[in-house]
Amino acid sequence: QVQLVESGGGLVQAGGSLRLSCAASGTILRINAMGWYRRAPGKQRELVATITDGGRTNYLDSVKGRFTISRDYAKNTVYLQMNSLKPEDTADYYCNADISDLRTYRSGDYWGQGTQVTVSS
């Protein structure tokens, strides 16, 4: 089985920083891509940032210049460094990964359990 475990959420003042981590473990053949989604209260889920095996990154327009996504390939971990946080960044953040399972040789979409980020004004 493949699992994604998230950490790093919390409560922070506007202008502060947090770093989210998401570690993948289990029967991993290859991690094709990883990313972060978020869902704010009363709003639909939105894609925050993605990173591919080639290192190509994409960001939600509202977080460009403030958030940075990166990967540690040795640890099968993706990070989201969040700087200059704003109250509108308050949401539950979810790690997502496209992973090929070495047991089945099938690719699948996996999700972390979610971590809460609250930014006070």
Side-chain angles (χ1 to χ4, degrees), residues 6-107:
E6 303 177 28
S7 62
L11 175 64
V12 66
Q13 271 189 274
S17 298
L18 287 172
R19 188 183 71 167
L20 306 184
S21 299
C22 175
S25 62
T27 52
I28 298 169
L29 176 63
R30 168 181 275 112
I31 300 177
N32 304 303
M34 304 186 83
W36 292 92
Y37 290 77
R38 69 185 183 188
R39 186 186 295 275
K43 295 187 176 182
Q44 292 186 317
R45 184 182 66 192
E46 60 185 354
L47 180 61
V48 178
T50 59
I51 186 166
T52 68
D53 273 344
R56 185 174 71 254
T57 59
N58 286 286
Y59 296 93
L60 182 68
D61 283 345
S62 62
V63 309
K64 288 180 179 177
R66 300 189 296 120
F67 291 10
T68 303
I69 188 170
S70 61
R71 282 178 64 172
D72 185 331
Y73 288 86
K75 296 180 179 179
N76 287 330
T77 299
V78 64
Y79 303 95
L80 186 67
Q81 178 66 45
M82 304 185 295
N83 298 326
S84 301
L85 283 162
K86 303 175 180 179
E88 49 263 46
D89 296 317
T90 295
D92 290 335
Y93 284 72
Y94 296 88
C95 177
N96 172 258
D98 179 12
I99 297 174
S100 298
D101 193 318
L102 65 83
R103 296 181 306 168
T104 65
Y105 284 81
R106 297 197 204 110
S107 295

